[in-house]
Amino acid sequence: MKHAVEISDKIYWIGVNDMDTDLFEGIWPLPRGVAYNAYLIDDEKVAVIDTVKKGYLPQFIEKIQAVLGERSIDYLVVNHMEPDHSGSVKILRQLYPKMEIVANQKTLDFLRGFYGIEDGIKIMGDKESIDLGDKSLTFYMTPMVHWPETMMTYENKTQTLFSADAFGGFGVLQGGIFDDEVDLPYYENEILRYYSNIVAKYSPMVQKALTRLSDVPIKVIASTHGAIFRENPSYILERYDRWSKQETEKGVVIVYSSMYGHTQTMAEAIARSLACSGVEQIRLHNVSRSHLSFILTDIWKYKGLILGGSTYNMKLSPYMDMLVSTLDNDKLKNRVFGVFGSYSWSGGAVKALRDYAEKSGNQLLEPVVEAKHAPDDNSLDLCRQLGKNMAESL
Ligand code: FEO
């Protein structure tokens, strides 16, 4: 998509696809790439909404110029300062020196710190508006979705919500850019992965934002990542509501660490028991093999979570420790937990998992199964019982 795409009357998508970056935020894998969406409103006053990652500036400028020619930009709205969106702010200001940056009070510190920009900034408060001529923009403060300065911009005439990261996901745009043009289940999974990896910790703030937007008529949701929802914006609003309330689907995620195969044998006994008990959605992850990004996506989706730990140096193995620490930080709730594991000469892993499960406030099922050395028939029977109890609890 070399040039801008008109998404509604004189509002253009001027985003870019990044197929080069391996890790988003230096953490999360991008096997399907990621799109940085930005928008241009061509009115009496010209407004650009967000920019793109710094390395994609040439394509970004080309799209702006395809719409504007030699004309200038009046306003650059900065909804969110994470550099995947603000990375081209400084150079855009140099190219269009009269362009005012429209932001909120909390944005100032970031503009100064990241880019040394201190002037030509128009500070907007919650629900304040600017007139563009035919169209107008109203700003909604949505702090901690997922940075403190995050806001959303609403265009009143077309009822378009420029929502920053909210409702966006990983994955480049592959020709289609609207919900009615793309393979929606494919993008939904990438939106959930983005949510569970990056936004989940701030679920209570997402709920606040959804409440604040509940009386705003929204025809189009234009996020900074992924597809634009114009046919059915409620599709993604409903999912965001469910995910941020930590409402789950029927299914079980088993995540285990295993050094010699013994904890894996226990995990597979549990998984088989779940299947025999009628659970259709079972996701089995070796925590040393599956990236945290994909494990979190499954955990955020399903009600059951069974953690299996092999003991390493009297503690959890490093990758399992990282997972537990992440879940603790994300304040995972509304789940049913199971715990199992094994050790060779000193316990530790099962105790750590049990401690986390109890501290988390989630329901912890019996039996908690711990095997010394290789699991014997009794241990495997207990694993099967855990699977059965989990199936009954869903
Ligand atoms: Fe897409 Fe928080 O940046």
Side-chain angles (χ1 to χ4, degrees):
M1 290 175 278
K2 187 175 178 192
H3 293 307
V5 177
E6 191 166 17
I7 65 168
S8 59
D9 178 40
K10 300 250 176 144
I11 299 181
Y12 298 87
W13 174 83
I14 52 170
V16 298
N17 276 335
D18 176 357
M19 296 191 185
D20 302 315
T21 302
D22 293 325
L23 295 175
F24 192 81
E25 296 182 334
I27 304 169
W28 312 109
L30 292 172
R32 304 172 188 97
V34 66
Y36 311 119
N37 295 336
Y39 303 92
L40 187 153
I41 303 176
D42 186 8
D43 205 337
E44 286 171 34
K45 298 279 189 185
V46 173
V48 167
I49 299 174
D50 294 312
T51 72
V52 298
K53 193 174 174 182
K54 193 175 178 181
Y56 294 85
L57 185 80
Q59 296 99 304
F60 182 57
I61 296 295
E62 191 175 55
K63 289 183 184 199
I64 290 172
Q65 291 179 342
V67 179
L68 295 182
E70 297 300 310
R71 286 182 294 146
S72 188
I73 299 167
D74 296 288
Y75 300 120
L76 170 63
V77 177
V78 177
N79 280 328
H80 179 33
M81 277 298 296
E82 196 163 7
D84 51 331
H85 310 297
S86 71
S88 299
V89 166
K90 185 172 181 175
I91 301 175
L92 201 65
R93 164 56 75 75
Q94 287 166 357
L95 290 170
Y96 298 96
K98 291 183 182 165
M99 176 186 81
E100 263 192 299
I101 293 175
V102 179
N104 63 74
Q105 193 67 38
K106 290 182 187 164
T107 321
L108 297 180
D109 188 41
F110 292 94
L111 282 170
R112 189 185 307 114
F114 280 144
Y115 307 116
I117 296 174
E118 296 188 274
D119 53 14
I121 303 168
K122 192 176 179 69
I123 302 289
M124 305 305 294
D126 190 43
K127 293 194 180 177
E128 289 185 350
S129 300
I130 56 174
D131 189 24
L132 300 178
D134 182 44
K135 298 182 177 66
S136 63
L137 302 176
T138 302
F139 305 96
Y140 290 86
M141 302 302 128
T142 52
M144 300 317 301
V145 182
H146 63 121
W147 274 24
E149 87 303 354
T150 309
M151 66 180 191
M152 297 187 191
T153 299
Y154 180 74
E155 198 293 299
N156 291 280
K157 186 175 180 192
T158 57
Q159 300 183 341
T160 301
L161 181 70
F162 300 98
S163 61
D165 282 339
F167 316 114
F170 297 123
V172 293
L173 294 166
Q174 304 176 42
I177 67 167
F178 299 104
D179 56 343
D180 51 289
E181 294 177 337
V182 302
D183 176 0
L184 212 46
Y186 168 93
Y187 279 100
E188 180 185 328
N189 198 54
E190 285 293 78
I191 297 171
L192 176 57
R193 189 161 72 90
Y194 192 96
Y195 186 88
S196 61
N197 292 186
I198 292 167
V199 185
K201 176 177 171 57
Y202 307 103
S203 290
M205 305 308 285
V206 172
Q207 273 295 305
K208 279 191 182 165
L210 290 174
T211 301
R212 302 207 56 239
L213 293 166
S214 60
D215 59 353
V216 179
I218 298 170
K219 274 194 184 151
V220 179
I221 292 180
S223 169
T224 45
H225 299 289
I228 297 164
F229 287 82
R230 68 173 176 188
E231 184 178 76
N232 188 11
S234 61
Y235 180 96
I236 197 59
L237 284 166
E238 283 165 11
R239 278 155 181 77
Y240 244 65
D241 188 38
R242 274 198 276 116
W243 297 338
S244 56
K245 285 179 179 159
Q246 299 209 40
E247 292 178 1
T248 51
E249 298 175 27
K250 184 175 177 180
V252 180
V253 184
I254 304 172
V255 192
Y256 67 92
S257 63
S258 191
M259 298 166 69
Y260 316 115
H262 299 134
T263 314
Q264 179 170 333
T265 299
M266 298 170 81
E268 288 177 333
I270 295 167
R272 181 67 194 139
S273 171
L274 286 167
C276 291
S277 302
V279 179
E280 292 180 357
Q281 302 301 325
I282 303 167
R283 300 289 183 270
L284 189 64
H285 288 284
N286 177 334
V287 74
S288 303
R289 296 289 183 190
S290 297
H291 194 284
L292 178 68
S293 174
F294 300 96
I295 297 174
L296 290 175
T297 309
D298 284 341
I299 288 177
W300 214 262
K301 188 168 186 175
Y302 293 115
K303 186 174 179 70
L305 175 60
I306 302 180
L307 297 172
S310 54
T311 302
Y312 193 71
N313 290 341
M314 295 170 276
K315 295 170 63 177
L316 288 173
S317 70
Y319 292 119
M320 185 59 80
D321 196 41
M322 180 172 69
L323 173 65
V324 167
S325 163
T326 304
L327 296 177
D328 187 32
N329 194 35
D330 286 349
K331 297 193 167 42
L332 191 75
K333 63 178 187 180
N334 300 343
R335 302 306 198 280
V336 179
F337 274 39
V339 165
F340 69 100
S342 69
Y343 65 96
S344 297
W345 49 267
S346 161
V350 169
K351 179 182 182 312
L353 292 174
R354 181 200 276 271
D355 287 350
Y356 161 62
E358 289 174 348
K359 179 183 152 203
S360 74
N362 290 285
Q363 180 188 356
L364 175 61
L365 293 176
E366 294 293 337
V368 170
V369 191
E370 184 169 36
K372 184 176 181 182
H373 301 146
D376 57 14
D377 287 346
N378 181 53
S379 297
L380 293 175
D381 280 344
L382 289 171
C383 286
R384 292 181 195 104
Q385 188 60 50
L386 174 58
K388 195 160 173 279
N389 291 351
M390 175 62 82
E392 286 170 3
S393 76
L394 296 177

